[in-house]
Amino acid sequence: MHQVGMGNAVQERQGALAQGEVLPRPSTSQSEGFKQSHSAVNSLFSGAFAGAVAKTTVAPLDRTKIIFQVSTNRFSAKVRLKSRGSSDGSSLPIAFKREAYRLIYRTYLQEGFLSLWRGNSATMVRVIPYAAIQFCAHEQYKMILGRHYGFQGRALPPVPRLMAGSLAGTTAAMITYPLDMVRARMAVTPKEMYSNILHVFVRISREEGLKTLYRGFTPTILGVIPYAGLSFFTYETLKKLHVEHTGCTEPSPVERLCFGACAGLISQSASYPLDVVRRRMQTAGVTGHTYASILGTIREIVTEEGVIRGLYKGLSMNWVKGPITVGMSFMTFDLTQILLRKLQQLGFTAR
């Protein structure tokens, strides 16, 4: 009897399907949740890859920039001699560039080619999670703000666009800050002092205390808010203007690189003094200085070195390094996202 009943039920079901009944599908909320989780994973992977590629490319310039930022008089005398005779300081960037390239060359001769990438392993340990979190958070904040302001699926207005970038940068910086501290220490110390990343953590914790791992955290956050906000804002704005003026929905890789370079130039110039303050506070334990607060650090830098030569030391190098880093980062992220989406579509088609 039970088997006959089951057979009748199956026949009735088949008859209903033959008459056009549609089988139940997963709910819209389940489908949306799957898409969002897939999108978040893609953003994490694309961001991590973009950060690694961009930072490895400019690692020698990055290390040189940090040495410039944390030095108080190592290069100042030479730069003053080179810039003497120019009342407006117009030759100052050229002098800094020459000193920077000489420093790179000396490092290469004295310590070898790979020494130019010293501290890059610590950079990767920080940059990969930082970039992954920042890009993923930016995509999530864009969706949240888009829903809130009624622009879901479309380009955000200027203020929410700026907010999304600032929130993304702040989120990433808060989570990965100790790794940035370690990277700065490895960049300005001889390799005999710290053998690896773990050794830096152990020595700082033992000799200076765990609180030292967050020294310079406040200027970092204050610098990240305008830096990340302006960076994402400028890049997204340039892409939007490109679509409006050309009618082409997807910029070319070269155009993406140029948009990112403009974003890097603007954002790094705006937040650079706080970046110098952050580096000074991070490396105070190994440079013989005691920087207790942001205002105290700024006051000491300005008193000893002046505003331009102190707070903007190494900025000209950042005008070379920054646009390359940010441009490559944005371009790599976008292209990786496009590639992953295409691979997913091929996978679904094959099924």
Side-chain angles (χ1 to χ4, degrees):
M1 286 289 290
H2 182 64
Q3 288 178 346
V4 171
M6 284 183 64
N8 290 338
V10 170
Q11 286 176 358
E12 286 174 9
R13 185 65 172 162
Q14 287 174 343
L17 285 172
Q19 291 173 14
E21 182 184 334
V22 179
L23 284 169
R25 293 182 179 180
S27 67
T28 306
S29 60
Q30 285 178 328
S31 178
E32 281 296 316
F34 176 76
K35 284 180 182 177
Q36 286 184 10
S37 63
H38 234 285
S39 174
V41 171
N42 284 357
S43 298
L44 283 168
F45 178 79
S46 302
F49 183 62
V53 169
K55 276 294 185 181
T56 301
T57 304
V58 297
L61 289 174
D62 212 23
R63 185 188 178 198
T64 306
K65 183 202 76 170
I66 293 174
I67 294 172
F68 262 103
Q69 286 178 328
V70 303
S71 65
T72 55
N73 55 15
R74 188 171 175 179
F75 308 104
S76 300
K78 292 181 182 178
V79 171
R80 272 196 290 273
L81 286 170
K82 291 175 188 286
S83 60
R84 191 172 291 166
S86 175
S87 58
D88 61 354
S90 58
S91 63
L92 193 60
I94 298 172
F96 268 124
K97 285 176 186 175
R98 285 175 183 164
E99 261 330 294
Y101 296 137
R102 281 177 183 157
L103 173 62
I104 291 171
Y105 185 62
R106 277 200 304 270
T107 304
Y108 162 69
L109 290 178
Q110 293 170 5
E111 302 179 40
F113 180 70
L114 291 179
S115 67
L116 296 172
W117 276 265
R118 172 162 168 73
N120 194 50
S121 58
T123 302
M124 288 299 101
V125 170
R126 171 193 167 265
V127 161
I128 288 173
Y130 180 90
I133 294 166
Q134 181 175 239
F135 277 108
C136 182
H138 182 249
E139 295 298 311
Q140 300 304 310
Y141 285 128
K142 278 202 302 184
M143 284 195 295
I144 293 167
L145 292 170
R147 281 198 296 267
H148 181 76
Y149 288 98
F151 283 85
Q152 193 168 9
R154 292 179 289 156
L156 290 171
V159 173
R161 205 180 307 154
L162 188 68
M163 285 172 60
S166 295
L167 287 168
T170 303
T171 302
M174 288 176 69
I175 295 171
T176 63
Y177 185 78
L179 294 169
D180 187 47
M181 172 73 169
V182 169
R183 169 210 172 202
R185 283 293 181 94
M186 288 190 76
V188 300
T189 54
K191 53 187 173 184
E192 295 79 19
M193 188 166 184
Y194 298 117
S195 56
N196 53 49
I197 298 166
L198 184 61
H199 188 208
V200 184
F201 274 111
V202 171
R203 279 197 64 175
I204 289 175
S205 302
R206 186 185 300 153
E207 296 173 11
E208 302 173 54
L210 286 171
K211 284 177 65 178
T212 305
L213 292 172
Y214 276 89
R215 183 184 289 159
F217 178 71
T218 304
T220 297
I221 295 299
L222 292 176
V224 159
I225 290 170
Y227 172 76
L230 286 170
S231 187
F232 281 104
F233 173 82
T234 305
Y235 185 69
E236 294 286 327
T237 301
L238 290 173
K239 285 205 300 183
K240 182 175 179 288
L241 292 172
H242 176 270
V243 172
E244 291 172 355
H245 285 80
T246 65
C248 181
T249 56
E250 294 292 344
S252 69
V254 174
E255 286 169 335
R256 292 178 195 275
L257 184 66
C258 292
F259 296 161
C262 291
L265 189 65
I266 293 167
S267 59
Q268 293 203 347
S269 298
S271 61
Y272 193 79
L274 284 166
D275 193 40
V276 172
V277 171
R278 169 175 66 119
R279 293 299 183 204
R280 292 293 180 92
M281 293 181 77
Q282 285 178 336
T283 57
V286 293
T287 57
H289 286 78
T290 52
Y291 299 117
S293 65
I294 298 171
L295 291 176
T297 305
I298 293 172
R299 195 181 303 115
E300 189 170 335
I301 291 171
V302 172
T303 302
E304 292 182 1
E305 304 162 60
V307 176
I308 301 299
R309 293 190 179 95
L311 293 176
Y312 289 90
K313 181 179 286 185
L315 177 60
S316 58
M317 184 181 299
N318 238 36
W319 286 339
V320 177
K321 181 191 77 72
I324 297 171
T325 307
V326 180
M328 286 192 67
S329 185
F330 277 123
M331 181 191 72
T332 306
F333 175 79
D334 279 357
L335 296 180
T336 307
Q337 284 277 80
I338 292 167
L339 176 63
L340 289 174
R341 280 197 290 266
K342 285 181 178 178
L343 289 173
Q344 284 171 10
Q345 288 170 1
L346 286 172
F348 285 128
T349 306
R351 289 176 190 177

